[in-house]
């Protein structure tokens, strides 16, 4: 698995992406569609029409890396298109997404009212 620092930037490409694309094709989408630099160390996530498969790309300083994850059951929760075409996530939200969990509105933890 990839190790992310707390300050890592993670972006989801909203909408549907052609999952036949490899790392270079997805990097070109980052440049052309999202107007971002795919070599800046940020993680970019893409989902196809079938909601059980996602691809992540990032540049680790030496080369372009790609991770593909397919869920055996269920689907990845994904936003519809936005004006910018992408949304930003925290590294913790990315971990929840990769685990197949709901990352958009996590259940808030209840704070105890009394100590005893």
């Amino acid at each position: 698995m990839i190790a992310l620092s707390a300050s890592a930037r993670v972006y989801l490409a909203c909408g549907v992406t052609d999952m036949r694309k490899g790392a270079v094709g997805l990097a070109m989408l980052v440049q052309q569609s999202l107007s971002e630099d795919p070599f800046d160390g940020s993680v970019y996530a893409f989902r196809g029409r079938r909601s059980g498969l996602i691809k992540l790309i990032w540049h680790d300083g030496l080369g372009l890396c790609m991770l593909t994850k397919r869920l055996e059951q269920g689907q990845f929760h994904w936003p519809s298109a936005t004006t910018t075409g992408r949304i930003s996530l925290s590294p913790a939200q990315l971990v929840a997404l990769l685990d197949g969990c709901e990352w958009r509105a996590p259940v808030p933890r209840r704070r105890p009212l009394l100590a005893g």
Side-chain angles (χ1 to χ4, degrees):
M1 193 63 208
I2 57 176
L4 293 174
S5 68
S7 63
R9 292 185 316 247
V10 179
Y11 298 105
L12 291 185
C14 298
V16 176
T17 303
D18 182 3
M19 288 287 102
R20 296 175 293 180
K21 293 184 183 299
V24 174
L26 293 174
M28 289 175 60
L29 277 178
V30 170
Q31 277 184 330
Q32 296 170 355
S33 299
L34 304 179
S35 301
E36 293 287 334
D37 180 13
F39 308 112
D40 66 357
S42 298
V43 177
Y44 298 93
F46 302 89
R47 190 192 84 175
R49 195 161 303 283
R50 293 187 179 187
S51 56
L53 175 72
I54 63 170
K55 289 185 179 181
L56 298 146
I57 63 164
W58 70 98
H59 194 273
D60 66 354
L62 299 174
L64 195 59
C65 304
M66 184 170 79
L67 171 101
T68 303
K69 180 152 186 183
R70 181 184 309 272
L71 292 178
E72 295 296 325
Q73 293 180 344
Q75 62 185 10
F76 291 105
H77 301 281
W78 213 257
S80 56
T82 63
T83 56
T84 60
R86 64 175 161 74
I87 63 166
S88 180
L89 265 67
S90 70
Q93 286 175 312
L94 177 63
V95 170
L97 173 70
L98 289 175
D99 285 340
C101 298
E102 176 60 56
W103 56 269
R104 292 177 284 197
V107 177
R109 296 182 186 217
R110 291 185 48 183
R111 184 171 179 246
L113 300 175
L114 298 172

